[in-house]
Amino acid sequence: MLARLISIFESSRLLQLFVITACIQGGVIISQFLITPWVDPSVVGVVRSLETVIALVVLAGSLGMQSIAIRDTAAYSDASCQSAVLRQVFLLVSLASGVVIFGIYIVHEFVLTSAISSYVFTTCGLVVLTNFLRVSTGFAQGAKAIREIYLVLMLVTAAGVVLHVILTKLYGVRGWMAARYLGELFCLIAVWWRLRAYILPALNFAAVDKKQLMITAKSGVTINASLFVRLLVDSLPVLMLTALHVRTEEIGFFGIAILSLVLGLLPLAIIAQRALPDLVEALGHPDELRKKYSSALKSMLKVSSAVALLLILISSAWWLFIGGAYKTTALYVMVLALTLPLKAIALACGTMLVALRVFGLSLKVNILEGLLVLILLYVGIPILEGWAGVMAYSAGAVLSAVLLLSAVKIRLAVL
């Protein structure tokens, strides 16, 4: 049986990609779920606030290089060209992460002195570790080398999840921070060891093409701005609940609900990452491009609908039969799960726009959604607390799905 399972994984790029994405994005999410029985809801609230800010600063330091690594690596079949892409990506991530860490230091020393800012300053090294890990796995996807890393990454991530639970139970938030460092470091070491044939040539920074580096940087800035605004919009409910001093327990309840949704989005992210190289390869054939986009969109809608139904069923069972401290969370999840198909549409359209090298449109749509969400939160939180976050998140999902779907339809029609 074990040998058969291994052979299935060895022959399926999609399953390998599922493992990689689940490890890179899902390990920390699952860890946050698993600590809930062992710590007070207030600790969960602090961890969610901290992780929300960490996600933003990590993304700021990425300069959009994970998407660039996948797209540009997939565009080349020559090993030397792929190494050149990875070299540029590593250099740009290093520079951007250094700027972000310096900015965190300035903010911590001269602007903010809260507990959260202190925690963020302590964990700012994750900007470098996490981004190197993400661009390395992105490169593996573009170079079709994911079979080299998926198994070892799965094992190291599983150990990291256990480490998160143990250290958080023993030392609270500080234990969580220590586990975050150790988990990312061990994963990065494992991935670089497996990809050493690609990594070592890419570390020759003297061979960087400065002109191409600037082109890559410009594309990365636009992509990263869009991704950053997207993440900021998704994070606004937790950030605003924290800023307006809503009870920490309430932040924890809403934070776990959002985590459920993020976990439900992982299969969609996997489909999008799998589809991007295929869309890039079909750019010169409009009919094939439309067919592949339609297939990816339909797959995302089917998966998102199934995941939404599953979340609703689980939340209903929790609310009816288990209850407890997180009964409110179950109600939040029931409503938020309905936005998953809308998120699927937006993600499919965003992937298509990246393949078409239309980077600015997603940024504009995300800004419009952010303004809507911010207004709804500012007005609603004093009255509705966590339910204001649910309302704002849902309204934003509707707006983005409609605008992006319309934009992609127009562009495909003129190809």
Side-chain angles (χ1 to χ4, degrees):
M1 174 64 83
L2 180 59
R4 179 171 176 77
L5 288 175
I6 292 175
S7 67
I8 291 174
F9 271 100
E10 289 290 338
S11 61
S12 174
R13 283 177 56 204
L14 185 60
L15 286 177
Q16 293 167 8
L17 184 56
F18 177 84
V19 171
I20 290 174
T21 306
C23 291
I24 298 299
Q25 300 184 35
V28 176
I29 297 173
I30 293 171
S31 300
Q32 291 175 63
F33 279 111
L34 293 179
I35 66 171
T36 54
W38 308 104
V39 299
D40 188 80
S42 62
V43 174
V44 177
V46 173
V47 168
R48 280 302 304 134
S49 297
L50 173 61
E51 282 293 333
T52 299
V53 179
I54 288 175
L56 288 169
V57 297
V58 165
L59 182 57
S62 73
L63 205 64
M65 287 299 108
Q66 184 176 13
S67 297
I68 292 291
I70 298 172
R71 188 196 186 284
D72 288 3
T73 304
Y76 297 108
S77 57
D78 182 70
S80 62
C81 292
Q82 291 178 338
S83 293
V85 170
L86 188 58
R87 185 180 300 115
Q88 293 171 10
V89 165
F90 279 159
L91 182 56
L92 289 171
V93 162
S94 299
L95 294 173
S97 297
V99 171
V100 169
I101 290 174
F102 179 73
I104 292 172
Y105 169 77
I106 295 297
V107 170
H108 174 68
E109 289 293 323
F110 304 107
V111 181
L112 298 176
T113 57
S114 65
I116 291 296
S117 69
S118 177
Y119 291 150
V120 172
F121 177 69
T122 303
T123 55
C124 67
L126 291 171
V127 176
V128 178
L129 290 176
T130 302
N131 281 319
F132 274 145
L133 177 59
R134 290 181 178 179
V135 298
S136 298
T137 57
F139 170 82
Q141 292 170 41
K144 295 181 173 59
I146 55 176
R147 64 177 300 172
E148 304 291 334
I149 64 173
Y150 79 93
L151 184 58
V152 66
L153 190 58
M154 179 172 61
L155 296 175
V156 175
T157 300
V161 169
V162 175
L163 190 64
H164 275 81
V165 175
I166 293 174
L167 291 183
T168 306
K169 180 182 178 182
L170 294 176
Y171 304 107
V173 177
R174 295 192 178 277
W176 176 268
M177 293 189 294
R180 287 289 276 117
Y181 270 113
L182 293 173
E184 296 292 305
L185 178 61
F186 293 155
C187 284
L188 181 61
I189 291 173
V191 169
W192 276 21
W193 174 253
R194 295 294 296 168
L195 295 178
R196 58 190 182 278
Y198 303 96
I199 299 295
L200 293 178
L203 296 179
N204 180 20
F205 294 124
V208 167
D209 183 335
K210 294 182 180 179
K211 182 179 179 180
Q212 188 61 42
L213 184 71
M214 292 304 299
I215 295 174
T216 303
K218 288 179 181 178
S219 298
V221 167
T222 306
I223 292 175
N224 199 57
S226 179
L227 293 173
F228 185 83
V229 174
R230 172 74 267 150
L231 181 58
L232 180 60
V233 172
D234 291 340
S235 304
L236 271 176
V238 172
L239 295 175
M240 288 291 288
L241 287 169
T242 304
L244 296 180
H245 304 293
V246 174
R247 291 173 298 127
T248 309
E249 293 83 353
E250 182 68 22
I251 298 173
F253 298 151
F254 180 80
I256 293 298
I258 287 293
L259 272 182
S260 301
L261 209 64
V262 172
L263 198 61
L265 287 170
L266 282 182
L268 305 182
I270 293 165
I271 296 173
Q273 291 180 48
R274 177 67 179 83
L276 180 56
D278 293 337
L279 292 173
V280 172
E281 292 174 357
L283 286 178
H285 309 279
D287 291 337
E288 184 181 355
L289 182 64
R290 295 187 188 97
K291 183 178 179 181
K292 288 186 175 182
Y293 163 71
S294 178
S295 176
L297 178 58
K298 289 177 181 178
S299 296
M300 288 188 186
L301 284 173
K302 290 178 182 177
V303 171
S304 63
S305 299
V307 173
L309 180 60
L310 181 62
L311 286 175
I312 291 171
L313 291 175
I314 293 174
S315 301
S316 300
W318 186 285
W319 186 74
L320 289 172
F321 303 113
I322 300 177
Y326 291 95
K327 190 173 183 178
T328 303
T329 295
L331 292 175
Y332 291 162
V333 173
M334 290 181 206
V335 179
L336 288 172
L338 298 175
T339 67
L340 277 174
L342 297 171
K343 290 290 184 179
I345 294 172
L347 183 56
C349 294
T351 304
M352 186 65 197
L353 291 173
V354 170
L356 293 171
R357 299 189 69 86
V358 180
F359 302 131
L361 183 59
S362 294
L363 173 60
K364 295 173 183 177
V365 171
N366 289 341
I367 291 174
L368 287 176
E369 181 184 346
L371 292 174
L372 174 64
V373 170
L374 185 62
I375 292 171
L376 292 176
L377 288 170
Y378 185 78
V379 173
I381 285 177
I383 303 170
L384 303 173
E385 291 191 324
W387 281 108
V390 175
M391 174 185 65
Y393 191 95
S394 302
V398 172
L399 179 64
S400 282
V402 171
L403 292 178
L404 289 172
L405 185 61
S406 300
V408 170
K409 282 185 175 180
I410 292 172
R411 277 163 175 76
L412 288 178
V414 299
L415 287 177

